[in-house]
Protein backbone atom coordinates (compact mmCIF):
# COMPACT_ATOMS: atom_id res chain seq x y z
CA UNK A 1 0.00 0.00 0.00
CA UNK A 2 3.01 2.28 0.24
CA UNK A 3 3.52 4.92 -2.43
CA UNK A 4 6.93 3.40 -3.18
CA UNK A 5 5.28 0.21 -4.42
CA UNK A 6 4.35 -0.20 -8.10
CA UNK A 7 0.94 1.04 -9.17
CA UNK A 8 -0.42 -2.46 -9.80
CA UNK A 9 0.67 -3.68 -6.36
CA UNK A 10 -0.95 -0.66 -4.69
CA UNK A 11 -4.24 -1.23 -6.52
CA UNK A 12 -4.29 -4.89 -5.53
CA UNK A 13 -3.48 -3.99 -1.92
CA UNK A 14 -6.34 -1.50 -1.64
CA UNK A 15 -8.69 -3.94 -3.37
CA UNK A 16 -7.79 -6.57 -0.80
CA UNK A 17 -8.37 -4.02 1.97
CA UNK A 18 -11.80 -3.19 0.59
CA UNK A 19 -12.77 -6.86 0.43
CA UNK A 20 -11.48 -7.88 3.87
CA UNK A 21 -13.07 -4.84 5.51
CA UNK A 22 -16.47 -6.10 4.38
CA UNK A 23 -16.26 -9.89 4.45
CA UNK A 24 -13.31 -11.18 6.51
CA UNK A 25 -13.89 -11.01 10.25
CA UNK A 26 -10.64 -12.75 11.21
CA UNK A 27 -8.48 -10.28 9.30
CA UNK A 28 -10.39 -7.36 10.77
CA UNK A 29 -9.64 -8.66 14.26
CA UNK A 30 -5.96 -8.78 13.31
CA UNK A 31 -6.17 -5.17 12.18
CA UNK A 32 -7.59 -4.12 15.56
CA UNK A 33 -5.16 -6.26 17.57
CA UNK A 34 -2.20 -4.99 19.60
CA UNK A 35 1.40 -5.99 19.18
CA UNK A 36 3.17 -8.27 21.68
CA UNK A 37 5.08 -7.07 23.57
CA UNK A 38 4.40 -3.36 23.80
CA UNK A 39 0.67 -3.36 23.09
CA UNK A 40 0.83 -0.99 20.13
CA UNK A 41 -1.72 -0.82 17.32
CA UNK A 42 0.82 -1.05 14.48
CA UNK A 43 -1.55 -2.75 12.04
CA UNK A 44 -4.27 -0.15 12.29
CA UNK A 45 -1.79 2.72 12.34
CA UNK A 46 -0.16 1.62 9.09
CA UNK A 47 -3.42 0.91 7.29
CA UNK A 48 -5.10 4.12 8.40
CA UNK A 49 -1.98 6.15 7.57
CA UNK A 50 -1.91 4.87 3.98
CA UNK A 51 -5.65 5.43 3.52
CA UNK A 52 -5.50 8.93 4.97
CA UNK A 53 -2.45 9.70 2.84
CA UNK A 54 -4.47 8.79 -0.26
CA UNK A 55 -7.33 11.01 0.89
CA UNK A 56 -5.01 13.94 1.65
CA UNK A 57 -3.28 13.54 -1.72
CA UNK A 58 -6.58 13.82 -3.61
CA UNK A 59 -7.64 16.76 -1.44
CA UNK A 60 -4.41 18.63 -2.17
CA UNK A 61 -4.69 17.97 -5.89
CA UNK A 62 -8.27 19.24 -5.97
CA UNK A 63 -7.35 22.32 -3.95
CA UNK A 64 -4.46 23.14 -6.29
CA UNK A 65 -6.66 22.65 -9.35
CA UNK A 66 -9.43 24.83 -7.90
CA UNK A 67 -6.98 27.64 -7.19
CA UNK A 68 -5.57 27.34 -10.71
CA UNK A 69 -9.04 27.56 -12.25
CA UNK A 70 -9.94 30.60 -10.15
CA UNK A 71 -6.70 32.41 -11.01
CA UNK A 72 -7.01 31.55 -14.72
CA UNK A 73 -10.63 32.64 -14.86
CA UNK A 74 -9.88 35.95 -13.16
CA UNK A 75 -6.91 36.68 -15.45
CA UNK A 76 -8.89 35.77 -18.57
CA UNK A 77 -11.75 38.02 -17.54
CA UNK A 78 -9.42 40.96 -16.93
CA UNK A 79 -7.60 40.45 -20.25
CA UNK A 80 -10.86 40.26 -22.20
CA UNK A 81 -12.22 43.42 -20.58
CA UNK A 82 -8.98 45.32 -21.17
CA UNK A 83 -8.89 44.20 -24.80
CA UNK A 84 -12.47 45.34 -25.37
CA UNK A 85 -11.79 48.70 -23.78
CA UNK A 86 -8.69 49.16 -25.92
CA UNK A 87 -10.54 48.32 -29.14
CA UNK A 88 -13.38 50.69 -28.29
CA UNK A 89 -11.09 53.56 -27.31
CA UNK A 90 -8.72 53.25 -30.27
CA UNK A 91 -11.32 52.20 -32.80
CA UNK A 92 -9.00 49.62 -34.35
CA UNK A 93 -10.04 46.10 -35.31
CA UNK A 94 -8.61 43.10 -33.53
CA UNK A 95 -5.44 41.54 -34.83
CA UNK A 96 -5.90 38.51 -37.08
CA UNK A 97 -5.37 35.11 -35.55
CA UNK A 98 -3.14 33.76 -38.30
CA UNK A 99 -0.22 35.52 -39.91
CA UNK A 100 -0.35 36.05 -43.63
CA UNK A 101 2.53 35.35 -45.93
CA UNK A 102 2.91 39.04 -46.78
CA UNK A 103 3.42 39.88 -43.12
CA UNK A 104 6.47 37.65 -42.94
CA UNK A 105 8.63 39.98 -44.99
CA UNK A 106 10.09 39.86 -48.49
CA UNK A 107 12.67 37.21 -47.64
CA UNK A 108 10.02 34.53 -47.18
CA UNK A 109 8.31 35.27 -50.51
CA UNK A 110 11.26 35.71 -52.79
CA UNK A 111 13.61 32.91 -53.67
CA UNK A 112 17.24 32.94 -52.60
CA UNK A 113 18.35 33.29 -56.22
CA UNK A 114 16.41 36.49 -56.74
CA UNK A 115 17.89 37.91 -53.55
CA UNK A 116 21.35 37.90 -55.02
CA UNK A 117 20.29 40.45 -57.63
CA UNK A 118 19.15 42.97 -55.06
CA UNK A 119 21.21 46.04 -54.44
CA UNK A 120 21.15 45.36 -50.71
CA UNK A 121 23.84 42.70 -51.25
CA UNK A 122 27.16 43.89 -49.99
CA UNK A 123 29.37 45.02 -52.88
CA UNK A 124 32.45 42.91 -53.57
CA UNK A 125 35.68 44.03 -52.03
CA UNK A 126 39.18 43.67 -53.41
CA UNK A 127 41.92 42.12 -51.32
CA UNK A 128 45.61 42.96 -51.23
CA UNK A 129 46.26 40.83 -54.30
CA UNK A 130 43.43 42.49 -56.19
CA UNK A 131 41.02 39.49 -56.16
CA UNK A 132 37.37 39.86 -55.39
CA UNK A 133 36.02 38.43 -52.10
CA UNK A 134 32.42 37.52 -52.95
CA UNK A 135 32.26 33.88 -51.91
CA UNK A 136 32.38 34.49 -48.14
CA UNK A 137 29.73 37.21 -48.29
CA UNK A 138 27.44 34.97 -50.33
CA UNK A 139 27.74 32.05 -47.91
CA UNK A 140 26.98 34.20 -44.88
CA UNK A 141 24.03 35.79 -46.64
CA UNK A 142 22.58 32.40 -47.60
CA UNK A 143 23.07 31.17 -44.04
CA UNK A 144 21.30 34.21 -42.56
CA UNK A 145 18.51 33.99 -45.12
CA UNK A 146 17.99 30.29 -44.45
CA UNK A 147 17.82 30.81 -40.67
CA UNK A 148 15.36 33.69 -41.05
CA UNK A 149 13.17 31.81 -43.52
CA UNK A 150 13.16 28.68 -41.35
CA UNK A 151 12.15 30.66 -38.27
CA UNK A 152 9.35 32.40 -40.18
CA UNK A 153 7.96 29.18 -41.61
CA UNK A 154 8.09 27.53 -38.20
CA UNK A 155 5.99 30.39 -36.82
CA UNK A 156 3.48 29.85 -39.63
CA UNK A 157 3.29 26.11 -39.00
CA UNK A 158 2.72 26.66 -35.29
CA UNK A 159 -0.59 28.38 -36.07
CA UNK A 160 -1.95 25.65 -38.33
CA UNK A 161 -4.94 23.86 -36.82
CA UNK A 162 -3.53 20.36 -37.31
CA UNK A 163 -0.23 21.33 -35.65
CA UNK A 164 -2.02 23.06 -32.77
CA UNK A 165 -4.19 19.96 -32.28
CA UNK A 166 -1.17 17.64 -32.19
CA UNK A 167 1.09 19.78 -29.99
CA UNK A 168 -1.30 21.36 -27.48
CA UNK A 169 -2.67 19.45 -24.51
CA UNK A 170 -6.36 18.59 -24.25
CA UNK A 171 -8.46 21.00 -22.15
CA UNK A 172 -9.41 18.19 -19.74
CA UNK A 173 -5.88 16.90 -19.27
CA UNK A 174 -5.48 18.50 -15.83
CA UNK A 175 -8.82 17.12 -14.65
CA UNK A 176 -7.89 13.66 -15.84
CA UNK A 177 -4.60 13.84 -13.94
CA UNK A 178 -6.47 14.72 -10.75
CA UNK A 179 -8.69 11.62 -10.97
CA UNK A 180 -6.12 9.28 -12.51
CA UNK A 181 -6.19 7.06 -9.38
CA UNK A 182 -9.89 7.36 -8.67
CA UNK A 183 -10.45 3.60 -8.40
CA UNK A 184 -7.68 3.26 -5.81
CA UNK A 185 -9.11 6.19 -3.88
CA UNK A 186 -12.59 4.63 -3.89
CA UNK A 187 -11.20 1.39 -2.47
CA UNK A 188 -9.35 3.37 0.18
CA UNK A 189 -12.56 5.17 1.20
CA UNK A 190 -14.51 1.92 1.29
CA UNK A 191 -11.88 0.04 3.27
CA UNK A 192 -11.31 2.85 5.77
CA UNK A 193 -15.01 3.47 6.41
CA UNK A 194 -15.84 -0.24 6.70
CA UNK A 195 -13.06 -0.75 9.23
CA UNK A 196 -14.26 2.23 11.26
CA UNK A 197 -17.80 0.89 11.25
CA UNK A 198 -16.65 -2.63 12.18
CA UNK A 199 -14.61 -1.23 15.06
CA UNK A 200 -17.83 -0.24 16.81
CA UNK A 201 -18.36 -3.92 17.73
CA UNK A 202 -15.01 -5.63 17.05
CA UNK A 203 -12.44 -3.13 18.36
CA UNK A 204 -11.88 -4.45 21.85
CA UNK A 205 -9.00 -2.13 22.72
CA UNK A 206 -10.41 1.06 21.17
CA UNK A 207 -7.52 1.63 18.77
CA UNK A 208 -9.78 3.22 16.14
CA UNK A 209 -11.37 5.71 18.52
CA UNK A 210 -8.05 7.51 18.96
CA UNK A 211 -7.79 8.31 15.25
CA UNK A 212 -11.51 8.77 14.58
CA UNK A 213 -11.32 12.61 14.63
CA UNK A 214 -8.57 12.52 12.00
CA UNK A 215 -10.63 10.23 9.79
CA UNK A 216 -13.74 12.42 10.05
CA UNK A 217 -11.77 15.62 9.37
CA UNK A 218 -10.02 14.06 6.35
CA UNK A 219 -13.31 12.92 4.83
CA UNK A 220 -14.95 16.31 5.36
CA UNK A 221 -11.92 18.08 3.88
CA UNK A 222 -12.13 15.96 0.75
CA UNK A 223 -15.87 16.60 0.58
CA UNK A 224 -15.34 20.37 0.67
CA UNK A 225 -12.70 20.23 -2.06
CA UNK A 226 -14.94 18.07 -4.27
CA UNK A 227 -17.92 20.37 -3.79
CA UNK A 228 -15.83 23.39 -4.77
CA UNK A 229 -14.49 21.53 -7.79
CA UNK A 230 -18.04 20.70 -8.86
CA UNK A 231 -19.13 24.34 -8.60
CA UNK A 232 -16.18 25.53 -10.67
CA UNK A 233 -16.85 22.94 -13.39
CA UNK A 234 -20.63 23.07 -13.66
CA UNK A 235 -22.15 21.97 -16.95
CA UNK A 236 -24.74 23.93 -18.95
CA UNK A 237 -28.20 22.51 -18.30
CA UNK A 238 -30.20 24.61 -20.74
CA UNK A 239 -32.18 22.61 -23.30
CA UNK A 240 -31.30 25.19 -25.95
CA UNK A 241 -27.57 24.58 -25.49
CA UNK A 242 -26.08 22.16 -27.97
CA UNK A 243 -24.07 19.40 -26.32
CA UNK A 244 -20.39 19.51 -27.29
CA UNK A 245 -19.01 17.25 -24.55
CA UNK A 246 -16.03 15.17 -25.60
CA UNK A 247 -15.54 11.53 -24.67
CA UNK A 248 -12.64 12.41 -22.36
CA UNK A 249 -14.74 15.04 -20.63
CA UNK A 250 -17.49 12.48 -20.10
CA UNK A 251 -14.97 10.04 -18.61
CA UNK A 252 -13.66 12.67 -16.19
CA UNK A 253 -17.22 13.56 -15.23
CA UNK A 254 -17.96 9.90 -14.44
CA UNK A 255 -14.80 9.58 -12.34
CA UNK A 256 -15.73 12.70 -10.40
CA UNK A 257 -19.23 11.36 -9.67
CA UNK A 258 -17.92 7.94 -8.65
CA UNK A 259 -15.47 9.46 -6.16
CA UNK A 260 -18.18 11.74 -4.75
CA UNK A 261 -20.60 8.82 -4.36
CA UNK A 262 -17.96 6.68 -2.63
CA UNK A 263 -17.11 9.57 -0.29
CA UNK A 264 -20.72 10.31 0.65
CA UNK A 265 -21.38 6.61 1.19
CA UNK A 266 -18.36 6.35 3.49
CA UNK A 267 -19.45 9.35 5.57
CA UNK A 268 -23.08 8.21 5.82
CA UNK A 269 -21.90 4.73 6.79
CA UNK A 270 -19.89 6.10 9.72
CA UNK A 271 -22.59 8.58 10.78
CA UNK A 272 -25.32 5.94 10.71
CA UNK A 273 -23.27 3.50 12.81
CA UNK A 274 -21.93 5.84 15.48
CA UNK A 275 -24.91 8.19 15.60
CA UNK A 276 -24.92 10.75 18.37
CA UNK A 277 -21.57 9.52 19.68
CA UNK A 278 -19.84 11.57 16.96
CA UNK A 279 -20.97 14.78 18.63
CA UNK A 280 -18.57 14.07 21.47
CA UNK A 281 -15.56 14.16 19.13
CA UNK A 282 -13.51 17.34 19.04
CA UNK A 283 -13.97 18.78 15.56
CA UNK A 284 -13.61 22.20 14.01
CA UNK A 285 -16.62 24.46 13.54
CA UNK A 286 -16.79 23.73 9.82
CA UNK A 287 -16.59 19.97 10.39
CA UNK A 288 -19.35 20.17 12.99
CA UNK A 289 -21.56 22.04 10.53
CA UNK A 290 -20.98 19.37 7.90
CA UNK A 291 -21.61 16.65 10.46
CA UNK A 292 -25.01 18.15 11.26
CA UNK A 293 -25.84 18.20 7.54
CA UNK A 294 -25.11 14.49 7.26
CA UNK A 295 -27.11 13.83 10.42
CA UNK A 296 -30.10 15.54 8.84
CA UNK A 297 -29.44 13.89 5.43
CA UNK A 298 -29.02 17.25 3.75
CA UNK A 299 -25.92 16.02 1.96
Amino acid sequence: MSTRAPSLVRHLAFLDLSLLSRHDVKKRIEVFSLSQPGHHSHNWNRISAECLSTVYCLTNQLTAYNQKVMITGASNGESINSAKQTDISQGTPQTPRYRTVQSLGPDIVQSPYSSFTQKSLHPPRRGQNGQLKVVHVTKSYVKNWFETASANWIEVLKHLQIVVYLTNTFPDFDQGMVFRESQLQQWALEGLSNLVVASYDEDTFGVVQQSLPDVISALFGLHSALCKYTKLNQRPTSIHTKSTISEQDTAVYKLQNSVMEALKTAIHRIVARFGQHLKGIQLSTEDQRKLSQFFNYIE
Side-chain angles (χ1 to χ4, degrees), residues 1 14 26 29 46 87 108 155 163 169 182 211 216 219 223 267 289:
M1 296 176 67
F14 279 100
K26 293 182 179 180
I29 294 177
R46 292 173 182 174
D87 295 337
I108 201 65
E155 289 296 327
V163 177
T169 58
S182 61
S211 57
I216 298 298
L219 296 181
H223 183 266
I267 297 176
R289 184 185 65 82

Side-chain angles (χ1 to χ4, degrees), residues 184-236:
L184 185 146
Q185 292 154 359
Q186 293 177 48
W187 286 333
L189 292 171
E190 292 175 0
L192 183 62
S193 61
N194 286 324
L195 288 177
V196 171
V197 170
S199 69
Y200 189 85
D201 298 323
E202 301 173 5
D203 185 10
T204 308
F205 305 100
V207 296
V208 178
Q209 295 181 7
Q210 298 178 1
S211 57
L212 189 57
D214 297 334
V215 174
I216 298 298
S217 299
L219 296 181
F220 284 160
L222 179 57
H223 183 266
S224 300
L226 269 174
C227 290
K228 189 172 183 180
Y229 171 86
T230 304
K231 293 179 180 179
L232 293 175
N233 297 272
Q234 287 182 348
R235 297 172 172 273

Side-chain angles (χ1 to χ4, degrees), residues 58-71 175 179 220-235 256 260 263-264 286 289-290 299:
L58 179 57
T59 304
N60 295 333
Q61 291 177 355
L62 287 170
T63 303
Y65 179 81
N66 293 337
Q67 293 178 354
K68 181 180 178 181
V69 170
M70 295 175 63
I71 294 174
Q175 300 181 28
F179 296 101
F220 284 160
L222 179 57
H223 183 266
S224 300
L226 269 174
C227 290
K228 189 172 183 180
Y229 171 86
T230 304
K231 293 179 180 179
L232 293 175
N233 297 272
Q234 287 182 348
R235 297 172 172 273
Q256 168 196 343
M260 178 62 83
L263 177 60
K264 287 185 177 181
E286 180 65 20
R289 184 185 65 82
K290 283 187 170 294
E299 289 288 346

